[in-house]
Amino acid sequence: METPAAAAPAGSLFPSFLLLACGTLVAALLGAAHRLGLFYQLLHKVDKASVRHGGENVAAVLRAHGVRFIFTLVGGHISPLLVACEKLGIRVVDTRHEVTAVFAADAMARLSGTVGVAAVTAGPGLTNTVTAVKNAQMAQSPVLLLGGAASTLLQNRGALQAIDQLSLFRPLCKFCASVRRVRDIVPTLRAAMAAAQSGTPGPVFVELPIDVLYPYFMVQKEMVPAKPRKGLVGRVVSWYLENYLANLFAGAWEPQPEGPLPLDIPQASPQQVQRCVEILSRAKRPLMVLGSQALLTPKSADKLRAAVETLGVPCFLGGMARGLLGRNHPLHIRENRSAALKKADVIVLAGTVCDFRLSYGRVLSHSSKIIIVNRNREDMLLNSDVFWKPQEAVQGDVGSFVLKLVEGLQGQTWAPDWVEELREADRQKEQTFREKAAMPVAQHLNPVRVLQLVEETLPDDSILVVDGGDFVGTAAHLVQPRGPLRWLDPGAFGTLGVGAGFALGAKLCRPDAEVWCLFGDGAFGYSLIEFDTFVRHKIPVMALVGNDAGWTQISREQVPSLGSNVACGLAYTEYHKAAMGLGAQGLLLSRENEDQVVKVLHDAQQQCRDGHPVVVNILIGRTDFRDGSIAV
């Protein structure tokens, strides 16, 4: 028997269908109106007469975050933000290659405690920065890269220098965003700056299309035809473009908060700290390895140094932690790290990763209790499933952890014979270095002896920038930074070409310090043209080029193992004369003035004090100092 519901007339469904269709249409219209910005424009008007532009919003946020320098290579896409920065007192420093601009921002970030900022033009300007951005990612440097882009309306339509920039930088950056309206500049930049410094610091990228940076009247001239097309289609197109322009600038100049957002920095829990205190309190032969993460907050460097001295545990220093204890500190062990790690019963890896630098963890003894602390969990546990196991793995800020560790171990002391054993091994190695320095070389100067004299001459206020392979690898054993945050190397990526950018950022950040750059002659090829930058901006830095006419770090391995020096040979190029051609000062050290090494170094220092960048071209021979070192 048929139920009453089943027998309902079909015509009664029509009103329901009509209601559904109308509701769907209304929802679609409301959605379209929202996407077109019609609702927003009801509440936020467009000041069509204003000559302000989005570059001013960019500059205001940077100033509110304490940014004093922006590094760039100019391009039409980004001109408004550079001009605005100049007007607000942010110094615009233009380089000869975009990669140098990012390296300079990286150095600024490491030394200042603020985000380093670089701005480059669209397309090839951005692709030129990829190596430096990747280096900043691996070195965990908070760098903000601002990139120009084609107009929002013309993207994916074949505009000049228009590529999918976000896809390129997403694997390299913690935060990537493209600003689509002028009003979004301020909140996007604030979020980017916070992301760069929170958690594990790193680079961030914000794309700024050209139409969000230029004034309304200029964008209108380019976007909206002076004479609209006739007919219905023409009127619809004109309306769409006018509305698009209005939505682009609606609310653009309304006041917004510009200052820093709160940062999210992980901290070790009290329970974790206490467990680590108990482990270390029972140690007989403790050892600490401090890496760059310990110095992520540069303002705390002096506190960290005092804490390490109070703790009294012998330590190895790597990366940005080099120089933390100054020169010749009794707790700083410099040589025979692998042997020391095998003997230690408790090892604290503070901001150090078990990658190739610790032989993936294989140098750690299985009988040692290992405490590791790192902001990044993935880095912290790298290779722990294969070659080593932590007793305690603490995800948190390294510097803060060490300070808390010291509080928990107040009064704790360790037998002095452990430190003395490690220092005796250092003394034996130093004697070997002296013997190497006295050995004759076939031609030119002995690099070991030269670097020993550099070490004796280096002033206490100096910052060391190192960029190279064999010469710099030798210097790492012989030349000591004089204090915290006075050593800049590329980091785990092993990048060549950082020298000029790092020197630029370092000298601007610390104008009263002497900046000494140690270059291999191969690496110097990347930086030579930037002496034009140093001259134009009156930035006196001193470059010491270890010139052995080759890619010697590679040649050391390639020739004995493969029997060929192919692609490893360079020339004894007159780099000092090339620098003079760019307006800098140039000096030569060779066997002819072998007894005047210190005098030439002092002359270079004086020229720097007089305001001149200087290149000292040091012709060196080859020694067996680094035989057996690997380049891969």
PDB file of all heavy atoms in Angstrom, residues 500-514:
ATOM      1  N   ALA A 500      83.333  38.815   0.573  1.00  0.00           N
ATOM      2  CA  ALA A 500      83.037  40.239   0.425  1.00  0.00           C
ATOM      3  C   ALA A 500      81.747  40.611   1.131  1.00  0.00           C
ATOM      4  O   ALA A 500      81.670  41.637   1.815  1.00  0.00           O
ATOM      5  CB  ALA A 500      82.958  40.607  -1.057  1.00  0.00           C
ATOM      6  N   GLY A 501      80.712  39.794   0.986  1.00  0.00           N
ATOM      7  CA  GLY A 501      79.441  40.090   1.637  1.00  0.00           C
ATOM      8  C   GLY A 501      79.553  40.066   3.150  1.00  0.00           C
ATOM      9  O   GLY A 501      79.039  40.958   3.842  1.00  0.00           O
ATOM     10  N   PHE A 502      80.214  39.043   3.684  1.00  0.00           N
ATOM     11  CA  PHE A 502      80.397  38.971   5.132  1.00  0.00           C
ATOM     12  C   PHE A 502      81.202  40.162   5.638  1.00  0.00           C
ATOM     13  O   PHE A 502      80.890  40.740   6.682  1.00  0.00           O
ATOM     14  CB  PHE A 502      81.122  37.676   5.510  1.00  0.00           C
ATOM     15  CG  PHE A 502      80.228  36.463   5.578  1.00  0.00           C
ATOM     16  CD1 PHE A 502      78.927  36.489   5.104  1.00  0.00           C
ATOM     17  CD2 PHE A 502      80.691  35.276   6.114  1.00  0.00           C
ATOM     18  CE1 PHE A 502      78.107  35.370   5.168  1.00  0.00           C
ATOM     19  CE2 PHE A 502      79.889  34.150   6.197  1.00  0.00           C
ATOM     20  CZ  PHE A 502      78.593  34.194   5.721  1.00  0.00           C
ATOM     21  N   ALA A 503      82.255  40.540   4.896  1.00  0.00           N
ATOM     22  CA  ALA A 503      83.074  41.679   5.311  1.00  0.00           C
ATOM     23  C   ALA A 503      82.263  42.967   5.290  1.00  0.00           C
ATOM     24  O   ALA A 503      82.379  43.815   6.188  1.00  0.00           O
ATOM     25  CB  ALA A 503      84.289  41.799   4.399  1.00  0.00           C
ATOM     26  N   LEU A 504      81.439  43.112   4.269  1.00  0.00           N
ATOM     27  CA  LEU A 504      80.589  44.298   4.143  1.00  0.00           C
ATOM     28  C   LEU A 504      79.639  44.416   5.330  1.00  0.00           C
ATOM     29  O   LEU A 504      79.547  45.466   5.983  1.00  0.00           O
ATOM     30  CB  LEU A 504      79.816  44.211   2.835  1.00  0.00           C
ATOM     31  CG  LEU A 504      78.836  45.327   2.473  1.00  0.00           C
ATOM     32  CD1 LEU A 504      79.568  46.659   2.366  1.00  0.00           C
ATOM     33  CD2 LEU A 504      78.122  44.996   1.167  1.00  0.00           C
ATOM     34  N   GLY A 505      78.931  43.317   5.627  1.00  0.00           N
ATOM     35  CA  GLY A 505      78.010  43.338   6.759  1.00  0.00           C
ATOM     36  C   GLY A 505      78.712  43.545   8.080  1.00  0.00           C
ATOM     37  O   GLY A 505      78.235  44.284   8.956  1.00  0.00           O
ATOM     38  N   ALA A 506      79.889  42.906   8.244  1.00  0.00           N
ATOM     39  CA  ALA A 506      80.618  42.989   9.503  1.00  0.00           C
ATOM     40  C   ALA A 506      81.103  44.411   9.772  1.00  0.00           C
ATOM     41  O   ALA A 506      80.981  44.933  10.886  1.00  0.00           O
ATOM     42  CB  ALA A 506      81.794  42.021   9.490  1.00  0.00           C
ATOM     43  N   LYS A 507      81.661  45.059   8.749  1.00  0.00           N
ATOM     44  CA  LYS A 507      82.211  46.406   8.958  1.00  0.00           C
ATOM     45  C   LYS A 507      81.109  47.416   9.224  1.00  0.00           C
ATOM     46  O   LYS A 507      81.281  48.335  10.050  1.00  0.00           O
ATOM     47  CB  LYS A 507      83.034  46.817   7.738  1.00  0.00           C
ATOM     48  CG  LYS A 507      83.778  48.137   7.917  1.00  0.00           C
ATOM     49  CD  LYS A 507      84.803  48.074   9.051  1.00  0.00           C
ATOM     50  CE  LYS A 507      85.577  49.377   9.188  1.00  0.00           C
ATOM     51  NZ  LYS A 507      86.534  49.344  10.325  1.00  0.00           N
ATOM     52  N   LEU A 508      79.966  47.272   8.556  1.00  0.00           N
ATOM     53  CA  LEU A 508      78.863  48.184   8.808  1.00  0.00           C
ATOM     54  C   LEU A 508      78.272  47.969  10.196  1.00  0.00           C
ATOM     55  O   LEU A 508      77.853  48.912  10.867  1.00  0.00           O
ATOM     56  CB  LEU A 508      77.792  48.024   7.742  1.00  0.00           C
ATOM     57  CG  LEU A 508      78.168  48.565   6.359  1.00  0.00           C
ATOM     58  CD1 LEU A 508      77.137  48.147   5.325  1.00  0.00           C
ATOM     59  CD2 LEU A 508      78.292  50.089   6.393  1.00  0.00           C
ATOM     60  N   CYS A 509      78.233  46.713  10.629  1.00  0.00           N
ATOM     61  CA  CYS A 509      77.679  46.406  11.949  1.00  0.00           C
ATOM     62  C   CYS A 509      78.622  46.836  13.063  1.00  0.00           C
ATOM     63  O   CYS A 509      78.192  47.324  14.105  1.00  0.00           O
ATOM     64  CB  CYS A 509      77.398  44.905  12.036  1.00  0.00           C
ATOM     65  SG  CYS A 509      76.543  44.399  13.531  1.00  0.00           S
ATOM     66  N   ARG A 510      79.935  46.651  12.830  1.00  0.00           N
ATOM     67  CA  ARG A 510      80.947  47.000  13.827  1.00  0.00           C
ATOM     68  C   ARG A 510      81.964  47.966  13.208  1.00  0.00           C
ATOM     69  O   ARG A 510      83.091  47.576  12.878  1.00  0.00           O
ATOM     70  CB  ARG A 510      81.670  45.742  14.312  1.00  0.00           C
ATOM     71  CG  ARG A 510      80.767  44.633  14.813  1.00  0.00           C
ATOM     72  CD  ARG A 510      80.430  44.793  16.283  1.00  0.00           C
ATOM     73  NE  ARG A 510      79.566  43.721  16.739  1.00  0.00           N
ATOM     74  CZ  ARG A 510      79.991  42.513  17.128  1.00  0.00           C
ATOM     75  NH1 ARG A 510      81.280  42.239  17.089  1.00  0.00           N
ATOM     76  NH2 ARG A 510      79.145  41.605  17.535  1.00  0.00           N
ATOM     77  N   PRO A 511      81.593  49.215  12.998  1.00  0.00           N
ATOM     78  CA  PRO A 511      82.470  50.149  12.278  1.00  0.00           C
ATOM     79  C   PRO A 511      83.810  50.401  12.963  1.00  0.00           C
ATOM     80  O   PRO A 511      84.779  50.778  12.302  1.00  0.00           O
ATOM     81  CB  PRO A 511      81.635  51.438  12.200  1.00  0.00           C
ATOM     82  CG  PRO A 511      80.603  51.302  13.267  1.00  0.00           C
ATOM     83  CD  PRO A 511      80.322  49.852  13.398  1.00  0.00           C
ATOM     84  N   ASP A 512      83.893  50.198  14.279  1.00  0.00           N
ATOM     85  CA  ASP A 512      85.145  50.460  14.989  1.00  0.00           C
ATOM     86  C   ASP A 512      86.096  49.271  14.970  1.00  0.00           C
ATOM     87  O   ASP A 512      87.254  49.390  15.407  1.00  0.00           O
ATOM     88  CB  ASP A 512      84.854  50.856  16.443  1.00  0.00           C
ATOM     89  CG  ASP A 512      84.091  52.169  16.533  1.00  0.00           C
ATOM     90  OD1 ASP A 512      84.268  53.007  15.629  1.00  0.00           O
ATOM     91  OD2 ASP A 512      83.308  52.338  17.488  1.00  0.00           O
ATOM     92  N   ALA A 513      85.635  48.126  14.495  1.00  0.00           N
ATOM     93  CA  ALA A 513      86.484  46.931  14.457  1.00  0.00           C
ATOM     94  C   ALA A 513      87.270  46.876  13.150  1.00  0.00           C
ATOM     95  O   ALA A 513      86.814  47.360  12.111  1.00  0.00           O
ATOM     96  CB  ALA A 513      85.625  45.673  14.591  1.00  0.00           C
ATOM     97  N   GLU A 514      88.460  46.288  13.211  1.00  0.00           N
ATOM     98  CA  GLU A 514      89.205  45.999  11.992  1.00  0.00           C
ATOM     99  C   GLU A 514      88.675  44.686  11.411  1.00  0.00           C
ATOM    100  O   GLU A 514      88.606  43.681  12.121  1.00  0.00           O
ATOM    101  CB  GLU A 514      90.702  45.867  12.278  1.00  0.00           C
ATOM    102  CG  GLU A 514      91.380  47.178  12.589  1.00  0.00           C
ATOM    103  CD  GLU A 514      92.909  47.045  12.612  1.00  0.00           C
ATOM    104  OE1 GLU A 514      93.433  46.040  12.078  1.00  0.00           O
ATOM    105  OE2 GLU A 514      93.564  47.947  13.169  1.00  0.00           O
TER     106      GLU A 514
END
